[in-house]
Amino acid sequence: MTEKRKPSGPDLTKGVSLTDFKEAKLLGHVGEEDVLLVQAGSEIFAIEPACSHYHGPLAEGLVVGDTIRCPWHHACFSLRSGEATRPPALNALAVWEVMRDRDKIIVQRRREAPKPSAARRSAPTPDKFVIVGGGAAGFAAAETLRREGFAGAITMLSDDGAMPVDRPNLSKDYLAGSAPEDWLPLRGADYYQDAGIDLRLNTNVSAIDAKTRSVTLGNGDRLSFDRLLLATGAEPVRLQVPGADQPHVHTLRSVADSRAVIKTAGSARHALVIGASFIGLEVAASLRARKIEVHVVAPEERPMQKVLGAEMGDFVRSLHEENGVVFHLKDTVEKLAGMRATLKSGAVIEADLVVVGIGVKPRLALAEQAGLAADRGVSVSEYLETSLAGIFAAGDIARWPDPHSRQTIRVEHWVVAERQGQTAARNMLGKRERFDAVPFFWSQHYDVPINYVGHAESFDDIAIDGSISGRDCLLKYRRAGRVLAVASIYRDLDNLKAELEMERSHA
């Protein structure tokens, strides 16, 4: 029998005093439910204490105005309504009514949740919005359009066979075998029906005609649009060596890819990961969790050195080595013959499972064919609009003017894609909202999370606070004295504060 979990902290129905608060927060309970009290200015709010994304502890988060940010993956919630205002969280949290009796704060009743956006929609309008892509940006845009009360037609065209999923999980917990497949979809099939989103899977778009405002599908059908969002994402770079087309050689991007790797892993004993990228090393960690021997081959001197610097690169390498991964750095695979991989150095590795993680390239063919301005990505304005009015782009394909790094940048991060999808949706509705979110990503290696906020294409100096090897550190990546990015291990609150500082520096 599982032991019944005891609710946290004091019973809030009996009342607590402000002096009980620690750093403007107090974790208590109402009946069996945990409730977090938060002081923001002169107001007290009561909210569910676990982030709706991966259940990060909001008691350890950062209060900004009347919002609270999750320490793990930087989701943000309104303390007033519980609404998820920033990805990666999509679901609202429960909120409770707070009463004050002299110096006592009492919580008794949970507030009624607002009706889901589908129910709030007004009468249908003739507007037709088309979204090309079923990834993070496309999904977030469709969901936001309905949340904002848009009542026109939304058609979402995805060439994937699976509904939009939580892609970071594909190389992390799901691949490691510690997350079930039903965790993957961002929303169930009934959501699309209830919200009136026409999600078409396994659907290719062959052309966009900006003059007639229509898209042509792979089967020849044409769909007209009033506004279009291009969110075609990226695809894995293929390995160009003899033997790369064998059935035990995989890339990892989609649910189907992840399932195929898991299937091969079922009988595999020796895995070869080609590339020491974030994806490559997350795959290595996940395969080690399945007790498979793992070798990593990569051309660089240290894993992740370009992004994280030498010391962090050495730490990541030693962390993987402690967990049994064997590295072959400054080396490349020249051919795959059956289960044998021959390296440039002459070494031979036995591998009955090969995963190629040598980067991705943005899928730009549609945008280029439509005549959209491009520069190593689809060029967009600060409103995420392309060079053609009414056509927007978001996610891995978009290159936008980033106010913090003062460059135009293109970033392949999940949270950035979701946030861009939301901003693009609001701008498709005519809101003129600048996209100025600070880029954020996280990477998980065994029990060590690395959080990274900002964007530094290059840096000339890294200020390290704390100990990298002690797994308690904050690194500031600077160029000409300016902090462009911050990485941390277990300094979640500091990472949130760094994000806020970057936002404020260009507000």
Side-chain angles (χ1 to χ4, degrees):
M1 218 175 94
T2 54
E3 241 185 88
K4 204 155 178 239
R5 196 186 62 80
K6 273 179 61 182
S8 304
D11 181 347
L12 302 178
T13 62
K14 298 199 164 104
V16 290
S17 148
L18 259 183
T19 55
D20 300 327
F21 280 55
K22 190 175 167 216
E23 287 170 355
K25 299 189 203 86
L26 176 68
L27 188 57
H29 66 273
V30 172
E32 297 296 312
E33 293 182 285
D34 285 352
V35 175
L36 178 66
L37 287 180
V38 179
Q39 182 181 15
S42 60
E43 294 183 272
I44 307 288
F45 298 99
I47 193 164
E48 203 176 321
C51 176
S52 61
H53 176 234
Y54 285 177
H55 310 297
L58 295 180
E60 295 165 27
L62 183 65
V63 178
V64 182
D66 60 358
T67 67
I68 190 163
R69 300 185 183 191
C70 174
W72 286 2
H73 305 134
H74 295 210
C76 183
F77 299 90
S78 161
L79 289 166
R80 292 182 193 284
S81 66
E83 190 171 14
T85 58
R86 283 187 179 192
L90 298 167
N91 296 329
L93 297 176
V95 290
W96 280 259
E97 288 176 6
V98 178
M99 290 183 345
R100 296 179 87 157
D101 180 13
R102 291 190 291 277
D103 61 347
K104 266 204 163 159
I105 294 146
I106 302 163
V107 183
Q108 287 172 326
R109 281 211 338 234
R110 194 194 250 251
R111 252 204 242 138
E112 279 294 307
K115 290 279 174 280
S117 52
R120 285 209 311 265
R121 284 213 315 280
S122 48
T125 65
D127 301 303
K128 294 199 269 290
F129 284 13
V130 171
I131 296 168
V132 182
F139 172 81
E143 201 242 12
T144 302
L145 287 170
R146 288 298 184 230
R147 223 196 260 198
E148 295 280 340
F150 174 66
I154 301 175
T155 307
M156 198 170 166
L157 307 170
S158 171
D159 64 1
D160 201 317
M163 290 185 300
V165 294
D166 177 23
R167 186 177 291 127
N169 225 321
L170 297 181
S171 59
K172 298 180 174 81
D173 295 347
Y174 175 61
L175 184 59
S178 57
E181 191 163 307
D182 58 12
W183 282 14
L184 292 178
L186 292 171
R187 288 275 191 262
D190 55 353
Y191 165 78
Y192 298 94
Q193 208 173 337
D194 295 347
I197 295 167
D198 179 7
L199 171 62
R200 303 187 194 180
L201 301 176
N202 297 310
T203 301
N204 281 306
V205 176
S206 58
I208 294 165
D209 188 331
K211 282 196 184 68
T212 62
R213 318 274 301 163
S214 66
V215 296
T216 305
L217 307 184
N219 64 3
D221 288 357
R222 288 168 81 97
L223 263 181
S224 62
F225 62 81
D226 296 301
R227 298 270 185 284
L228 176 72
L229 175 65
L230 269 184
T232 45
E235 62 191 39
V237 174
R238 302 277 159 188
L239 184 67
Q240 304 292 328
V241 302
D245 54 356
Q246 297 178 96
H248 68 292
V249 180
H250 302 272
T251 52
L252 181 58
R253 183 76 183 171
S254 64
V255 178
D257 292 341
S258 199
R259 279 192 198 128
V261 173
I262 290 167
K263 191 175 177 201
T264 307
S267 58
R269 293 176 54 200
H270 310 284
L272 167 61
V273 175
I274 301 174
S277 61
F278 286 98
I279 290 281
L281 292 181
E282 286 175 358
V283 167
S286 295
L287 294 176
R288 287 300 296 136
R290 291 179 177 270
K291 305 286 186 271
I292 297 169
E293 180 186 293
V294 177
H295 289 252
V296 174
V297 175
E300 57 265 44
E301 188 182 348
R302 294 180 176 87
M304 305 194 200
Q305 180 170 354
K306 188 176 180 299
V307 179
L308 296 176
E311 283 192 59
M312 197 73 128
D314 285 338
F315 166 73
V316 168
R317 176 184 175 162
S318 65
L319 176 62
H320 281 271
E321 286 175 339
E322 281 166 31
N323 284 277
V325 174
V326 181
F327 283 91
H328 306 261
L329 297 171
K330 298 204 281 196
D331 213 341
T332 51
V333 173
E334 292 216 313
K335 68 171 182 195
L336 296 163
M339 304 293 166
R340 294 165 74 88
T342 305
L343 308 190
K344 193 176 178 188
S345 61
V348 174
I349 296 170
E350 293 289 330
D352 43 10
L353 164 60
V354 179
V355 181
V356 180
I358 53 176
V360 295
K361 55 174 193 255
R363 299 169 68 177
L364 302 175
L366 264 182
E368 287 168 349
Q369 164 272 321
L372 301 179
D375 163 27
R376 297 161 295 143
V378 179
S379 299
V380 294
S381 69
E382 68 264 51
Y383 306 110
L384 303 179
E385 195 163 21
T386 67
S387 56
L388 292 176
I391 299 180
F392 296 77
D396 292 0
I397 60 168
R399 182 172 288 277
W400 81 96
D402 171 43
H404 186 69
S405 61
R406 301 170 190 167
Q407 294 175 306
T408 60
I409 64 174
R410 189 182 69 76
V411 167
E412 293 155 1
H413 301 334
W414 179 252
V415 175
V416 171
E418 289 184 305
R419 290 182 182 176
Q420 286 189 341
Q422 292 186 334
T423 295
R426 289 191 274 266
N427 290 332
M428 288 165 83
L429 296 171
K431 295 245 167 133
R432 304 298 280 169
E433 177 185 293
R434 277 196 175 82
F435 182 75
D436 57 6
V438 177
F440 167 78
F441 74 86
W442 79 94
S443 189
Q444 180 81 26
H445 303 263
Y446 312 99
D447 59 344
V448 178
I450 298 171
N451 281 5
Y452 181 101
V453 65
H455 184 76
E457 305 239 328
S458 64
F459 44 87
D460 48 33
D461 164 52
I462 306 174
I464 302 174
D465 180 44
S467 160
I468 295 176
S469 60
R471 304 178 187 191
D472 171 28
C473 58
L474 191 81
L475 285 73
K476 293 182 176 174
Y477 299 85
R478 300 186 292 209
R479 191 171 63 235
R482 270 188 86 227
V483 176
L484 294 181
V486 171
S488 64
I489 299 174
Y490 291 127
R491 291 272 187 101
D492 294 342
L493 192 57
D494 289 340
N495 199 290
L496 280 171
K497 286 175 178 169
E499 178 183 54
L500 183 63
E501 207 173 301
M502 288 182 197
E503 287 169 11
R504 287 180 170 164
S505 71
H506 59 68

